[in-house]
């Protein structure tokens, strides 16, 4: 321990180190003095206080100069005495008491508006004059007398001790009175902050270090493990830092009223720090939502506890008496009286409010403390009456439409600086625009219109994509236009050109059981029978449509058949007569030429009038994202929903199947969520979870409670929803599909179903024609289509094809749904294959009963799906189980596992 203290004394006790410390202290005081002088020039602060502080700083700066010169002489001149340095040092001691007298008067003037020259000040001034005169006598009349003489040295030491005693006897009571007044008098908060910094970081450290480094109390130095020079060096360093810190702190606290606001040097970064709040403002649809957002903003930006900030929106005579406009509480009568009695244009208080744009009580009290004005006094009394730290008006065309009140002592111990003031004003400028829009516009109507326009735009965009896909299909087939010519004579077909062979690719004479050969023979028989041109559609070996057009030849019993890929007109004209709306001809084209159309044709393989118009409605609905109501057999619901979901290109389908009426808002909790204040551990709402990526299918929507139905109607109409027991709105883009087995119109009449929801759902509803009412021809078309889907190959098609008797039997036992019809057809095919003993060799489509288009495609791919990362990712997302995937594809689990390791799917 002794070695450490000895080392400190060697390093810090040297004259050179002390000289450096004194120079640093001198520079810090010069910096403080310069900063105060510049602030005084730029402002109208108190000149009397500024003068007293300048006197104090000048005196201690002069003392530092004396120390610097004395130490320089000691280092560079040794024991040789330099008269001018001795003179300056004595002059500094002459001003030693003066600096503390100036400081004491400064403290008295700082906390009192009017200061009288008290008797003790007169006595202290006389004592100061006598001691200063003695030092001046030594400096002027003992200039040529060596300072080291015994008589002069003892006299100087005595004067120094007397100076310290006088300072202690006079200045300590002044400090005590200052502290007492600081805590007992009603001083402005900013002034108290200034005094805390000024006294705590400048006066007390300076006075304490002056005393312990003096010879007045030598026993203090004896108790310390360091010598006097080291102590003086340390005290100088600490004092310098205290002055620098004090200067930076009190200048920004409107010291001596040099600035108009408390200053903060931090950069203004409002947009980056509070962009989430601004995003919430952009989604506001009602005034009552603004209070919550305002509280969140003041909590995040200024660390003000929630509930200590209140937003009031003033009502006008034009406002209705409903709850359209929001007040967190009753509008304060005192605020309204103040605004009514102090006009913004004529009243001084009103003009001050218009000019400053914000009332911050701490700043107003501080300004009024030195520059008392009647208008400021009225404003301070007003803020006291409403118990406010901040009164922040919100303007619209020079009129106050709303205001924000921050309660008194909302954040104790902290002041509002200029950056925070600017942030509040920027926030209110945004808030003003939102309030203006909400009060003068029917925002809900605008949101409803906007949502309709977005849905219409989306629908048109999807139609354009379908049109492009359709045109591309014709461009691919018509790039090299081929027309094949085939002659039919004596029950044989003869290819007249190479194009015919390229288009057909089989020998229609020898492969009589092939569907293409059967189509050729049927066309030829029809032409010969009716002696007129006939047209027939068939498909080539690549499943592309072909047109067979036959005309009778001039030669007897000869038919000329032309084979070519269809054009747009060829596809449309065959079904155009079935359209209820001729303007929907483009959807005929999409059904035949696009992937979406192929999926729908696979779901409903029939083109009769009723089925065709339903398929067009289904395709049109698929290209939209409007909420849809399905009215059809329960077995056909899921396949239809999966078609709608798949065509909309959304990855997630969530199904809510209701079997009993909703109780205790259980479905509403799942769909909309609940106010986090009521349940902090609430699960994520479905509308939030499925936002932009999902489709929500609610089966048996009539079982929802009326409250949940109204919540759902609001979401469908405007695109936003409320959580239960909450007024905050959340926007979501989820496709809603509903189904019902009841007559909703009847339920609405009976008051059992929401009229608002019914009006929204009936805009887009799909009602599949019942199979019991379909004509026999359309049922037969469906039967033929499903039969073709079930058989994967054409090997035993002739044996397994349903006879007229089989079709009649199906007509007699007419099923109620498409899925039931498919099942019956599959049973008939299995029975026929078993009867002909070809069941084991007949290849039925494994995806025949699968309704999900993605799963059906994966099943048909079989083991080839293992090589497709997208298909494997889709299967993994659906099942999350390698065994199920392997069973579905008909492969070993090890093969799936290898692909799983290769693709590294997210679990």
């Amino acid at each position: 321990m002794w070695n450490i203290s000895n080392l400190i004394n060697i390093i810090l006790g040297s004259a050179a180190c002390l000289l450096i410390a004194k120079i640093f202290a001198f520079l810090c005081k010069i910096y403080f003095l310069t900063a105060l002088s510049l602030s005084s020039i730029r402002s109208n602060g108190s000149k009397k206080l500024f003068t007293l502080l300048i006197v104090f700083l000048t005196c201690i700066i002069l003392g530092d100069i004396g120390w610097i010169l004395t130490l320089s002489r000691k280092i560079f001149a040794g024991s040789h005495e330099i008269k001018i340095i001795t003179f300056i040092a004595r002059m500094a001691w002459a001003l030693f008491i003066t600096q503390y007298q100036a400081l004491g008067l400064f403290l008295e003037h700082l906390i009192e508006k009017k200061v009288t020259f008290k008797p003790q000040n007169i006595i202290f001034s006389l004592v100061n004059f006598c001691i200063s005169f003695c030092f001046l006598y030594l400096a002027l009349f003992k200039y040529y007398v060596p300072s080291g003489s015994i008589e002069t040295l003892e006299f100087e030491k005595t004067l120094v001790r007397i100076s310290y005693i006088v300072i202690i006897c006079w200045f300590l009571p002044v400090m005590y009175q200052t502290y007492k007044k600081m805590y007992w008098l009603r001083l402005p908060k900013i002034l108290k902050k200034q005094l805390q910094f000024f006294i705590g970081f400048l006066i007390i450290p300076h006075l304490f270090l002056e005393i312990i480094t003096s010879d007045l109390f030598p026993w203090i130095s004896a108790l310390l493990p360091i010598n006097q020079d080291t102590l003086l060096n340390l005290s100088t360093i600490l004092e310098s830092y205290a002055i620098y810190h004090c200067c930076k702190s009190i200048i920004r606290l409107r010291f001596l009223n040099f600035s108009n606001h408390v200053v903060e040097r931090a950069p203004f970064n409002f947009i980056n720090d509070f962009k989430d709040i601004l995003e919430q403002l952009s989604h506001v649809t009602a005034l009552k939502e603004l209070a919550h957002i305002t509280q969140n903003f003041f909590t995040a930006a200024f660390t003000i506890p929630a509930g200590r900030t209140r937003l009031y929106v003033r009502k006008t005579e034009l406002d209705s008496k409903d709850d359209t406009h929001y007040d967190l509480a009753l509008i304060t009568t005192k605020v309204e009286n103040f605004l009514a009695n102090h006009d913004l244009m004529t009243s001084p208080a009103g003009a001050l409010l218009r000019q400053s744009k914000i009332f911050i009580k701490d700043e107003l009290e501080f300004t009024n403390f030195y520059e008392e004005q009647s208008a400021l006094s009225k404003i301070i009394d007003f803020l006291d009456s409403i118990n406010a730290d901040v009164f922040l008006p919100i303007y619209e065309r020079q009129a106050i439409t709303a205001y924000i009140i921050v309660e008194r002592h909302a954040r104790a111990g902290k002041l509002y600086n200029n950056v925070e003031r600017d942030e509040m004003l920027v926030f209110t400028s945004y808030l003003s625009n939102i309030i203006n829009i909400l009060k003068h516009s029917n925002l809900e109507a605008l949101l409803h219109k906007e949502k309709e326009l977005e849905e219409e735009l989306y629908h048109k965009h999807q139609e354009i994509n379908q049109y492009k896909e359709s045109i591309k299909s014709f461009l691919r087939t018509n790039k090299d236009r081929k027309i094949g010519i085939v002659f039919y004579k004596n029950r044989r077909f003869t290819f007249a050109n190479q194009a015919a062979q390229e288009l057909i690719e089989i020998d229609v004479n020898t492969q009589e059981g092939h569907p293409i050969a059967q189509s050729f023979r049927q066309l030829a028989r029809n032409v010969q029978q009716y002696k007129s041109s006939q047209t027939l559609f068939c498909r080539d070996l690549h499943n592309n449509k072909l047109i067979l057009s036959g005309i009778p030849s001039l030669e007897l019993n000869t038919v000329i058949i032309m084979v070519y890929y269809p054009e747009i007109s060829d596809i449309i004209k065959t079904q155009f007569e079935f359209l209820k709306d001729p303007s929907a001809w483009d959807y005929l084209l999409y059904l035949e030429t696009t992937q979406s159309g192929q999926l729908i044709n696979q779901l409903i393989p029939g083109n009769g009038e009723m089925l065709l118009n339903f398929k067009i409605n289904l395709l049109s609905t698929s290209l939209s994202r409007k909420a849809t109501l399905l009215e059809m057999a329960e077995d056909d619901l899921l396949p239809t929903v999966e078609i709608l979901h798949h065509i909309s290109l959304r990855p997630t389908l969530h199904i809510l199947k209701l079997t009993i009426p909703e109780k205790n808002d259980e479905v509403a909790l799942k769909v909309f969520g609940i106010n986090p204040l009521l349940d902090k551990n609430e699960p994520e709402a479905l509308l939030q979870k499925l936002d932009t990526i999902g489709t929500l299918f609610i089966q048996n929507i009539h079982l929802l409670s009326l409250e949940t139905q109204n919540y759902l109607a609001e979401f469908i109409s405007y695109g936003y929803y409320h959580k239960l027991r909450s007024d905050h709105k959340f926007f979501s883009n989820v496709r809603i599909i509903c189904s019902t087995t009841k007559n909703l119109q009847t339920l609405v009449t009976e008051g059992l179903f929401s009229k608002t929801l019914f009006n929204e759902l009936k805009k887009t509803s799909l009602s599949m024609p019942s199979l019991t009412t379909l004509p026999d021809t359309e049922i037969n078309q469906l039967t033929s289509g499903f039969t073709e889907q079930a058989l994967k190959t054409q090997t035993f098609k002739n044996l397994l094809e349903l006879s007229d008797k089989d079709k009649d039997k199906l007509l007699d036992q007419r099923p109620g749904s498409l899925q039931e019809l498919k099942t019956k057809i599959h049973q008939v095919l299995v029975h026929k294959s078993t009867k002909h003993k070809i069941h084991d060799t007949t290849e039925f489509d494994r995806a025949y009963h699968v309704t999900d288009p993605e799963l059906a495609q994966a099943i048909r791919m079989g083991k080839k799906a293992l090589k497709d990362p997208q298909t494997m990712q889709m299967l993994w997302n659906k099942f999350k189980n390698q065994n199920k995937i392997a069973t579905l594809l008909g492969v070993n689990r090890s093969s799936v596992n290898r692909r799983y390791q290769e693709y590294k799917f997210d679990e």
Side-chain angles (χ1 to χ4, degrees):
M1 185 67 183
W2 181 87
N3 291 332
I4 296 175
S5 62
N6 191 34
L7 180 62
I8 294 174
N9 288 327
I10 294 173
I11 296 175
L12 298 179
S14 63
C17 185
L18 182 58
L19 176 62
I20 295 172
K22 285 295 182 180
I23 292 174
F24 177 67
F26 171 77
L27 294 176
C28 287
K29 292 163 187 173
I30 290 293
Y31 166 70
F32 195 4
L33 182 62
T34 304
L36 288 174
S37 301
L38 293 175
S39 300
S40 176
I41 293 172
R42 294 193 297 263
S43 68
N44 297 320
S46 175
K47 301 300 181 183
K48 184 184 295 185
L49 289 172
F50 174 70
T51 302
L52 290 173
L53 189 59
I54 291 298
V55 171
F56 168 70
L57 290 174
T58 303
C59 291
I60 60 176
I61 287 173
L62 185 60
D64 285 340
I65 293 175
W67 270 106
I68 292 171
L69 294 176
T70 302
L71 292 170
S72 300
R73 183 196 68 181
K74 183 177 180 179
I75 294 172
F76 300 109
S79 60
H80 181 68
E81 183 177 0
I82 301 176
K83 300 293 184 181
I84 187 65
I85 295 178
T86 304
F87 173 80
I88 294 174
R90 287 170 175 172
M91 292 296 294
W93 279 109
L95 297 174
F96 180 65
I97 298 179
T98 303
Q99 74 182 29
Y100 282 98
Q101 186 176 14
L103 185 59
L105 292 173
F106 172 81
L107 291 177
E108 289 182 356
H109 281 69
L110 192 63
I111 61 177
E112 296 182 9
K113 297 180 181 180
K114 296 180 181 179
V115 180
T116 57
F117 208 68
K118 301 174 183 178
Q120 57 265 34
N121 291 337
I122 299 175
I123 296 173
F124 185 77
S125 298
L126 293 174
V127 174
N128 179 23
F129 174 77
C130 294
I131 296 175
S132 298
F133 179 80
C134 293
F135 277 112
L136 288 174
Y137 171 80
L138 291 176
L140 296 173
F141 299 102
K142 296 293 182 177
Y143 184 80
Y144 294 103
V145 177
S147 62
S149 64
I150 297 175
E151 179 184 355
T152 305
L153 182 61
E154 289 298 326
F155 184 60
E156 281 188 284
K157 286 183 178 180
T158 302
L159 287 176
V160 170
R161 291 191 185 99
I162 293 174
S163 299
Y164 278 115
I165 293 172
V166 170
I167 289 172
I168 293 173
C169 293
W170 180 81
F171 192 72
L172 289 182
V174 172
M175 287 285 296
Y176 171 75
Q177 290 296 326
T178 302
Y179 260 102
K180 183 178 178 181
K181 292 177 180 178
M182 188 171 70
Y183 288 102
W184 286 95
L185 293 180
R186 187 179 178 183
L187 297 178
K189 187 176 180 180
I190 296 177
L191 182 56
K192 289 184 178 180
K193 282 282 185 181
Q194 291 179 5
L195 287 170
Q196 289 172 359
F197 274 108
F198 194 72
I199 295 175
F201 285 92
L202 183 60
I203 297 176
I204 292 179
H206 179 75
L207 182 61
F208 177 73
L209 294 173
E210 284 278 10
I211 292 174
I212 65 172
T213 53
S214 68
D215 293 333
L216 191 62
F217 302 104
W219 55 271
I220 296 178
S221 301
L223 294 176
L224 299 174
I226 54 178
N227 58 38
Q228 187 75 8
D229 293 336
T230 303
L231 180 62
L232 181 61
N233 202 344
L234 287 173
S235 66
T236 304
I237 294 172
L238 293 174
E239 182 186 9
S240 302
Y241 171 74
I243 291 173
Y244 176 73
H245 179 73
C246 179
C247 176
K248 288 186 63 178
S249 299
I250 67 174
I251 288 294
R252 69 180 180 84
L253 291 174
R254 299 186 62 188
F255 187 59
L256 302 185
N257 212 11
F258 286 155
S259 60
N260 294 326
H261 307 289
V262 177
V263 179
E264 176 61 53
R265 300 299 182 187
F268 183 70
N269 198 18
F270 172 73
I271 297 299
N272 290 336
D273 291 342
F274 308 115
K275 57 185 178 182
D276 293 339
I277 298 292
L278 297 180
E279 183 179 356
Q280 291 180 27
L281 280 178
S282 66
H283 292 158
V284 169
T285 58
L287 286 170
K288 58 186 179 181
E289 299 177 42
L290 294 177
H292 179 68
I293 295 176
T294 301
Q295 289 183 351
N296 286 345
F297 171 79
F298 276 76
T299 300
F302 316 119
T303 62
I304 295 175
R308 304 297 295 274
T309 305
R310 294 185 178 181
L311 169 68
Y312 297 87
V313 179
R314 300 180 69 194
K315 290 185 178 180
T316 63
E317 295 178 359
L318 299 177
D319 291 336
S320 59
K321 296 183 179 180
D322 58 20
D323 59 351
T324 303
H325 301 289
Y326 172 74
D327 291 317
L328 185 64
L330 294 176
I331 296 179
T332 309
T333 343
K334 295 176 182 178
V335 176
E336 290 301 315
N337 290 337
F338 177 83
L339 296 178
N341 297 330
H342 297 85
D343 185 79
L344 296 178
M345 304 303 296
T346 58
S347 168
L352 186 60
L353 177 60
R354 188 183 73 254
Q355 180 182 358
S356 63
K357 299 180 181 179
I358 181 175
F359 284 164
I360 299 179
K361 187 171 185 290
D362 295 331
E363 292 192 350
L364 294 174
E365 284 182 333
F366 183 76
T367 302
N368 196 52
F369 185 79
Y370 294 109
E371 305 170 11
E372 188 170 353
Q373 304 174 24
S374 60
L376 285 177
S377 300
K378 291 179 181 178
I379 294 171
I380 293 171
D381 292 339
F382 161 66
L383 294 176
D384 281 333
S385 67
I386 61 175
N387 191 34
D389 257 346
V390 177
F391 179 79
L392 187 58
I394 300 170
Y395 293 91
E396 178 196 343
R397 299 177 183 176
Q398 303 300 319
I400 298 177
T401 59
Y403 50 89
I404 297 171
I405 293 178
V406 179
E407 292 182 7
R408 188 69 175 151
H409 307 302
R411 55 175 201 179
K414 292 185 179 180
L415 299 172
Y416 297 95
N417 56 54
N418 61 329
V419 173
E420 293 173 329
R421 177 181 180 274
D422 291 339
E423 288 178 352
M424 291 181 188
L425 294 176
V426 171
F427 175 74
T428 54
S429 67
Y430 279 88
L431 206 59
S432 174
N433 294 330
I434 298 298
I435 292 175
N436 185 25
I437 293 173
L438 293 174
K439 292 190 71 174
H440 297 91
S441 303
N442 189 342
L443 194 60
E444 290 189 347
L446 292 177
L447 286 173
H448 179 67
K449 187 66 177 177
E450 181 184 3
K451 187 171 185 294
E452 287 185 339
L453 290 175
E454 287 179 354
E455 290 175 345
E456 185 66 23
L457 181 62
Y458 176 83
H459 191 204
K460 294 297 182 184
H461 178 72
Q462 292 296 89
E463 283 186 329
I464 291 172
N465 288 338
Q466 294 291 307
Y467 183 74
K468 288 179 179 179
E469 184 181 351
S470 179
I471 295 300
K472 285 180 181 179
S473 68
F474 285 107
L475 292 177
R476 286 194 297 268
T477 56
N478 296 340
K479 191 173 183 179
D480 183 15
R481 185 68 174 171
K482 297 178 180 179
I483 299 179
I485 306 296
V486 179
F487 294 106
Y488 177 73
K489 185 178 181 180
N490 299 327
R491 305 183 66 181
R492 289 192 62 82
F493 295 93
T494 305
F495 294 161
N497 60 359
Q498 185 178 354
Q501 182 63 56
E502 292 175 354
L503 291 170
I504 298 172
E505 298 183 275
I506 66 167
D507 188 347
V508 294
N509 293 310
T510 58
Q511 297 178 260
E512 295 183 1
H514 197 281
I516 296 178
Q518 291 181 351
S519 297
F520 266 91
R521 294 191 178 278
Q522 180 181 351
L523 178 66
R525 286 195 298 267
N526 290 341
V527 172
Q528 288 180 339
Q529 180 178 355
Y530 300 109
K531 307 297 182 182
S532 63
S533 60
Q534 300 287 327
T535 302
L536 195 67
F537 281 87
C538 70
R539 294 187 178 274
D540 62 11
L541 297 181
H542 307 289
N543 205 35
N544 297 316
K545 276 196 172 183
L546 282 176
I547 291 184
L548 308 181
S549 180
I551 57 175
S553 175
L554 296 176
E555 186 177 348
L556 187 63
N557 296 328
T558 302
V559 177
I560 301 174
I561 300 174
M562 290 178 291
V563 184
Y564 56 90
Y565 289 116
E567 294 182 349
I568 296 178
S569 58
D570 297 320
I571 292 177
I572 294 176
K573 67 182 181 182
T574 57
Q575 300 175 354
F576 192 80
E577 61 185 68
F578 296 139
L579 286 180
K580 291 182 179 179
D581 181 8
S583 63
W585 64 267
D586 48 346
Y587 281 92
L588 289 177
L589 185 64
Y590 306 152
L591 282 172
E592 299 295 333
T593 57
T594 64
Q595 292 183 358
S596 301
Q598 291 176 11
L599 289 174
I600 293 175
N601 282 329
Q602 188 170 4
L603 176 67
I604 309 172
N607 289 320
E609 180 179 356
M610 297 180 68
L611 292 177
L612 179 63
N613 286 281
F614 174 75
K615 289 198 296 183
I616 289 175
N617 291 335
L618 178 58
L619 179 56
S620 177
T621 305
S622 301
L623 301 181
S624 171
R625 63 182 185 192
K626 293 182 179 180
T628 305
L629 176 65
L630 302 180
E631 296 175 320
M632 56 186 65
E634 186 175 353
D635 292 343
D636 294 333
L637 284 174
L638 186 57
T640 307
V641 169
E642 288 178 334
I643 287 289
L644 293 171
H645 169 69
H646 180 76
I647 295 177
S648 65
L649 302 178
R650 291 175 179 254
T652 307
L653 172 63
H654 190 93
I655 301 174
L656 278 178
K657 185 175 181 179
L658 307 180
T659 55
I660 58 174
E662 180 186 6
K663 297 179 181 179
N664 302 321
D665 297 324
E666 53 188 358
V667 179
L669 289 173
K670 292 180 182 179
V671 177
F672 305 105
I674 193 171
N675 191 330
L677 297 176
L678 300 177
D679 185 1
K680 296 182 178 180
N681 300 320
E682 60 148 345
E684 188 177 19
L686 284 176
L687 292 182
Q688 182 180 356
K689 183 179 180 181
L690 301 175
D691 184 22
T692 70
I693 63 168
T695 302
L696 177 61
F697 173 48
I698 305 176
Q699 188 172 349
N700 297 323
I701 193 173
H702 56 276
L703 296 178
L704 290 177
S705 66
L706 284 174
E707 183 181 5
T708 305
Q709 292 174 18
N710 290 325
Y711 269 86
L712 187 61
E714 180 184 53
F715 172 69
I716 293 173
S717 181
Y718 302 111
Y720 62 75
Y721 66 95
H722 291 94
K723 292 188 175 183
L724 293 185
R725 316 296 183 265
S726 171
D727 292 329
H728 189 59
K729 291 184 175 64
F730 298 87
F731 285 82
S732 179
N733 181 14
V734 177
R735 175 78 183 272
I736 301 294
I737 302 176
C738 310
S739 73
T740 182
T741 57
K742 302 292 184 179
N743 187 321
L744 296 185
Q745 180 65 66
T746 304
L747 295 180
V748 170
T749 305
E750 296 173 355
L752 301 177
F753 195 83
S754 168
K755 183 178 180 180
T756 307
L757 180 58
F758 173 73
N759 291 333
E760 290 296 329
L761 293 178
K762 73 177 182 180
K763 295 178 182 178
T764 308
S765 61
L766 279 175
S767 181
M768 179 180 288
S770 172
L771 268 62
T772 58
T773 61
L774 279 181
D776 294 348
T777 54
E778 296 197 32
I779 294 292
N780 290 334
Q781 285 182 358
L782 289 174
T783 302
S784 299
F786 287 137
T787 302
E788 188 175 344
Q789 290 178 13
L791 298 175
K792 193 173 181 180
T793 63
Q794 305 294 330
T795 307
F796 303 108
K797 184 176 179 181
N798 292 335
L799 289 175
L800 299 178
E801 189 172 13
L802 270 64
S803 63
D804 293 340
K805 183 180 178 180
D806 295 327
K807 293 180 180 180
D808 291 339
K809 188 175 180 180
L810 288 174
L811 290 174
D812 293 338
Q813 302 175 355
R814 187 164 301 199
S817 66
L818 294 174
Q819 299 307 308
E820 185 180 352
L821 178 61
K822 286 180 67 174
T823 302
K824 288 181 176 293
I825 291 172
H826 188 264
Q827 292 173 352
V828 172
L829 293 176
V830 170
H831 176 73
K832 281 180 169 289
S833 64
T834 304
K835 180 180 179 181
H836 294 291
K837 299 182 180 181
I838 55 173
H839 180 71
D840 295 336
T841 55
T842 302
E843 294 187 41
F844 290 102
D845 186 3
R846 294 177 56 235
Y848 181 73
H849 293 288
V850 177
T851 58
D852 188 333
E854 292 181 334
L855 285 181
Q857 182 181 2
I859 292 171
R860 293 187 180 103
M861 290 174 67
K863 63 181 180 182
K864 293 181 181 179
L866 296 172
K867 299 180 181 180
D868 185 359
Q870 292 183 349
T871 302
M872 294 301 294
Q873 181 70 63
M874 179 272 297
L875 293 174
W876 178 254
N877 292 338
K878 286 182 179 291
F879 296 106
K880 298 290 185 181
N881 186 291
Q882 296 182 23
N883 290 325
K884 291 183 180 179
I885 295 174
T887 303
L888 187 75
L889 299 180
V891 297
N892 294 328
R893 183 188 178 280
S894 58
S895 300
V896 176
N897 184 59
R898 283 195 301 270
R899 295 299 177 179
Y900 169 73
Q901 298 296 332
E902 179 182 349
Y903 300 139
K904 300 186 183 302
F905 300 137
D906 296 332
E907 297 191 21

